[in-house]
Amino acid sequence: LINTLALYVAVHVVPGVDYHGGPGGILVVAAVFGLVNATVRPLLALLTCPLVLGTLGLFLFVINALMLLLTGWLSNHLALGFRVTGFGAAFWGGLLISLVSLFLSIVVGVKEVRVTRIP
C-alpha cells in the first residue's frame, strides 16, 4: 500500500510519470513495481557495486530511475495505463517515490510486538 500511495503521489507531481486507469489498476502497477524492486534491483545493485561505492551511493538514484523505467515499460506491455517518459522523469519520480515511501514507513511504522508467556 505504501508503494501504491508513493506511485500515486509521483503520478500527480512529476511531469512525465503518467497513469490513466482505475483505482484498482494502480495497485497492480504497485505490485509490478514491488516485484521489479525485489528481483531486478538487487541484481543490478550487485553488478554495479563499484559504481555505487565510487559515487558514495549516489548511483543508487540511477538504479531507482531504471527500476521506475522498467516498471513503466512492463506496465505499457501489460496495458496497465502507467507510463514513464524519459530518464529525467524516472529520476525525479524515483526520488519522490523513495522519499514518500520513507515518510509513510516512518508514519505507519511497525510497533514492537511483545509476547508474554502465560505461566
Side-chain angles (χ1 to χ4, degrees):
L1 289 175
I2 288 175
N3 271 343
T4 305
L5 290 173
L7 281 167
Y8 181 80
V9 169
V11 164
H12 289 296
V13 172
V14 179
V17 178
D18 301 309
Y19 174 71
H20 302 287
I26 194 84
L27 288 170
V28 178
V29 173
V32 170
F33 184 61
L35 187 63
V36 165
N37 275 326
T39 56
V40 178
R41 189 177 194 277
L43 180 63
L44 191 57
L46 180 66
L47 292 174
T48 60
C49 190
L51 277 172
V52 171
L53 292 174
T55 60
L56 301 176
L58 293 176
F59 192 73
L60 290 173
F61 293 124
V62 173
I63 292 175
N64 285 345
L66 293 174
M67 296 305 97
L68 193 58
L69 277 172
L70 180 57
T71 301
W73 182 80
L74 287 171
S75 296
N76 187 38
H77 281 73
L78 296 172
L80 297 176
F82 180 75
R83 198 169 61 108
V84 180
T85 56
F87 183 79
F91 179 83
W92 293 111
L95 183 61
L96 183 62
I97 289 169
S98 296
L99 292 174
V100 170
S101 295
L102 175 66
F103 175 75
L104 290 174
S105 296
I106 290 170
V107 169
V108 171
V110 177
K111 303 291 183 200
E112 181 180 332
V113 177
R114 293 184 181 213
V115 177
T116 57
R117 294 183 184 212
I118 300 174

